[in-house]
């Protein structure tokens, strides 16, 4: 699974280390490099442009890994007996590996007389497959080094953490929650799940807008095809796409509002002394919502060409 691991971890056989308390930095760097390279190769520079993903790319996984680590460090600072340095390292691994597999289906329909092609993620399958690769990576490292750097408990926790990110749509709140989260009390899984859906809560309006625009481009396959081919659209077709962008922009307000309702109960699953600190770290949903409302008002006044550029397309019209 790991290409040429000897380049990164060959020296590990040369000195003793405490495998239980911490994971050697050389191993962590091997996993970081392998995951980022895998994500870039498969979802950013794939020969088939339709396989490349605007949202689920290496930058997303690096952000989730970073935020998972930060949440776990906050918990450790308030309840050090419950979070070890090794837990934090496993949190980084979980973030790096949580979206390694991206299998998609497509749904074709007619909208206002035009063909609409939407991607949809094979949720559940993707998380299980990503967990399987994460565990394979860890087992490969054990096998190569000849020592148990990663334990069966590590495999179990990584698997459970990745499954905790399986998204489910809430039609009442018009947002996403993670129903597997109710099945775990492991701070590792909780931190990963919070980080995966917490971009707006952590980064506020700019990050929420950036991620929302990227996800729109990723899901709307027909628009990606049209822009890739540089096809000139008729006025009615442009108006149809314009309406989709504006509808998405409305949905972004609802999505953030729903996540704001749900997040406190999710944070409450973490050790009690850390609730305030994690809540402060993830306190920017109001800013994200205000930004989404402002963005909608601005977009409603834009020309089609400016609207396409604003959401991230390069388009000839």
């Amino acid at each position: 699974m790991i290409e040429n691991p000897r380049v990164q971890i060959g020296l590990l056989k040369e000195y003793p280390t405490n495998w239980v308390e911490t994971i050697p930095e050389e191993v962590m760097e091997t996993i970081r490099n392998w995951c980022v390279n895998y994500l870039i190769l498969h979802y950013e520079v794939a020969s088939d442009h339709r396989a490349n993903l605007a949202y689920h790319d290496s930058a997303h996984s690096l952000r989730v890994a970073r935020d998972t680590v930060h949440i776990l460090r906050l918990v450790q600072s308030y309840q050090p007996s419950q979070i070890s340095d090794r837990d934090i390292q496993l949190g980084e691994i979980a973030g790096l590996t949580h979206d390694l597999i991206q299998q998609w289906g497509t749904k074709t329909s007619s909208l206002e007389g035009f063909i609409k092609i939407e991607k949809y993620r094979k949720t559940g399958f993707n998380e299980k497959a990503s967990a399987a690769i994460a565990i394979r990576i860890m087992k490969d490292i054990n096998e190569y080094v000849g020592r148990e750097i990663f334990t069966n408990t590590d495999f179990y926790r990584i698997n459970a953490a990745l499954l905790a990110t399986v998204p489910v749509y809430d039609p009442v709140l018009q947002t996403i929650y993670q129903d597997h989260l109710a099945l775990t009390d492991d701070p590792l899984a909780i931190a990963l799940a919070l980080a995966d859906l917490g971009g707006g809560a952590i980064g506020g309006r700019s990050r929420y807008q950036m991620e929302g625009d990227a996800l729109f481009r990723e899901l709307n396959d027909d628009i990606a095809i049209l822009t890739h081919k540089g096809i000139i659209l008729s006025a009615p077709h442009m108006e149809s796409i314009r309406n989709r962008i504006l509808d998405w922009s409305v949905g972004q307000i609802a999505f953030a509002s729903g996540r704001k309702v749900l997040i406190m109960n999710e944070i409450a699953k973490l050790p009690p002394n850390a609730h305030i600190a994690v809540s402060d770290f993830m306190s920017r949903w109001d800013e994200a919502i205000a930004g989404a409302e402002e963005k909608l008002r601005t977009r409603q006044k834009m020309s089609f060409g400016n609207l396409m550029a604003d959401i991230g397309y390069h388009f000839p019209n």
Side-chain angles (χ1 to χ4, degrees), residues 109-116 222 236-237 240-241 243-244 247:
S109 60
S110 177
L111 178 68
E112 300 174 358
F114 302 102
I115 297 296
K116 177 182 179 183
D222 59 311
H237 201 171
S240 177
I241 292 174
N243 291 337
R244 282 162 65 182
D247 286 346

Side-chain angles (χ1 to χ4, degrees), residues 32-255:
R32 290 183 196 112
N33 290 338
W34 191 91
C35 289
V36 170
N37 288 337
Y38 182 94
L39 290 163
I40 291 173
L41 180 65
H42 288 83
Y43 309 125
E44 297 176 39
V45 296
S47 56
D48 179 359
H49 74 93
R50 294 180 67 180
N52 293 323
L53 302 175
Y55 177 74
H56 288 95
D57 57 5
S58 60
H60 167 70
S61 289
L62 286 168
R63 286 193 299 269
V64 171
R66 178 195 65 203
D67 293 339
T68 301
V69 165
H70 190 87
I71 292 168
L72 289 172
R73 287 199 188 283
L74 287 173
V75 176
Q76 184 187 53
S77 67
Y78 285 90
Q79 295 200 227
S81 63
Q82 297 207 24
I83 300 292
S84 68
D85 289 342
R86 183 185 182 85
D87 293 330
I88 293 171
Q89 290 176 305
L90 289 174
E92 182 180 358
I93 292 171
L96 290 168
T97 60
H98 83 287
D99 275 338
L100 284 176
I101 297 301
Q102 290 294 318
Q103 292 292 319
W104 294 77
T106 57
K107 180 176 66 175
T108 302
S109 60
S110 177
L111 178 68
E112 300 174 358
F114 302 102
I115 297 296
K116 177 182 179 183
I117 306 173
E118 294 177 287
K119 282 181 179 175
Y120 61 90
R121 294 181 71 245
K122 295 184 178 179
T123 55
F125 172 86
N126 286 348
E127 289 78 11
K128 290 176 183 177
S130 296
I133 290 187
I135 292 168
R136 182 70 263 165
I137 291 170
M138 295 189 289
K139 287 183 176 180
D140 281 358
I141 289 173
N142 283 355
E143 182 179 350
Y144 172 71
V145 175
R147 306 185 187 188
E148 190 182 64
I149 296 177
F150 296 103
T151 67
N152 286 335
T153 299
D154 295 335
F155 304 151
Y156 175 84
R157 293 181 72 196
I158 289 292
N159 184 71
L162 268 62
L163 290 182
T165 67
V166 174
V168 179
Y169 183 68
D170 184 327
V172 176
L173 293 176
Q174 300 178 63
T175 197
I176 296 294
Y177 69 99
Q178 298 141 317
D179 61 349
H180 284 69
L181 196 55
L183 305 177
T184 182
D185 292 318
D186 187 347
L188 168 61
I190 298 164
L192 176 66
L194 286 168
D196 195 25
L197 293 183
I202 296 166
R205 71 171 63 199
S206 60
R207 179 168 165 185
Y208 185 61
Q209 194 63 56
M210 178 269 292
E211 292 181 342
D213 290 352
L215 188 56
F216 179 89
R217 298 195 306 273
E218 183 171 285
L219 294 175
N220 289 274
D221 212 23
D222 59 311
I223 304 177
I225 294 169
L226 293 169
T227 56
H228 180 77
K229 293 182 176 180
I231 294 174
I232 305 299
L233 301 180
S234 66
H237 201 171
M238 286 191 285
E239 187 63 20
S240 177
I241 292 174
R242 174 187 175 83
N243 291 337
R244 282 162 65 182
I245 295 173
L246 294 178
D247 286 346
W248 174 266
S249 300
V250 171
Q252 284 295 97
I253 300 169
F255 182 93

